[in-house]
Amino acid sequence: MKAIIFNGSLERRPESTSGRISQYFAERIEKSGFQTEVFTLADSGIPLFDVTLTKTPLAVERMTQLFLEADIHFWLAPLYHGSIPGVMKNCLDWLEVTSGHYQPYLTDKTVGLVCWADGLHAMQGINTMDAVAKSLRAWPIPFSIPVIRAALFDHEDPTKISSLYSDKFDKLINIATTKRIEKVQHHH
């Protein structure tokens, strides 16, 4: 089974917020026995969506293949001006190139959603991704994680995700990999 972590931020540094969250997810998902790939938007070279092109750009072909091969998706997005980054939406728009497939878009994929914001509005990003995932015929997991950035990292060790959010991330990964929403036993 394959999982993809779609890092929809434009931060390139591994120690950035999106880098740390991506790494956390990758380590945990691999422990669940899934082959895991992180797709970092900042390094992808995805051009602006253009339906008039006769040939699909190479970067888009690679992205589409990764997205279609994965059974489970985790979409990670920062909140920009009340929504997900435009480049992230642009990337998902390119899945239009699969419209002629027997199973177009992201038919039947499971998608876990995480969005972080400096204030309390991360849910707006979750709602955007939820709508996009559904329009791509995927199944967004009903447990999603809006993150308040100030509470994301451990106060003693700012390189670590706080227990508040690591518990939530673990729960989302557990639901995605087992397809069951159950109470997770916490061991601290």
Side-chain angles (χ1 to χ4, degrees), residues 126-143:
I126 300 277
N127 292 337
T128 302
M129 291 190 283
D130 184 80
V132 173
K134 284 172 180 161
S135 72
L136 291 169
R137 305 182 191 178
W139 299 91
I141 294 173
F143 176 80

Side-chain angles (χ1 to χ4, degrees), residues 52-120:
T52 63
L53 293 181
T54 45
K55 198 173 167 340
T56 306
L58 207 58
V60 172
E61 277 184 11
R62 186 177 168 275
M63 175 209 95
T64 308
Q65 192 180 352
L66 284 175
F67 278 47
L68 297 186
E69 278 174 1
D71 308 282
I72 301 175
H73 286 226
F74 293 93
W75 293 358
L76 315 178
L79 191 77
Y80 286 174
H81 311 290
S83 187
I84 60 172
V87 284
M88 185 176 188
K89 174 69 166 63
N90 175 67
C91 198
L92 292 162
D93 287 343
W94 271 111
L95 290 166
E96 189 55 41
V97 301
T98 68
S99 63
H101 290 196
Y102 169 64
Q103 286 207 310
Y105 314 115
L106 298 177
T107 301
D108 268 348
K109 308 281 183 201
T110 301
V111 185
L113 307 174
V114 178
C115 181
W116 57 95
D118 289 328
L120 299 168

Side-chain angles (χ1 to χ4, degrees), residues 7 17 22 30 45 75-76 115 118 124 126 132 158 181 186:
N7 174 354
T17 300
S22 299
E30 277 170 7
W75 293 358
L76 315 178
C115 181
D118 289 328
Q124 289 176 248
I126 300 277
V132 173
I181 301 179
H186 295 305

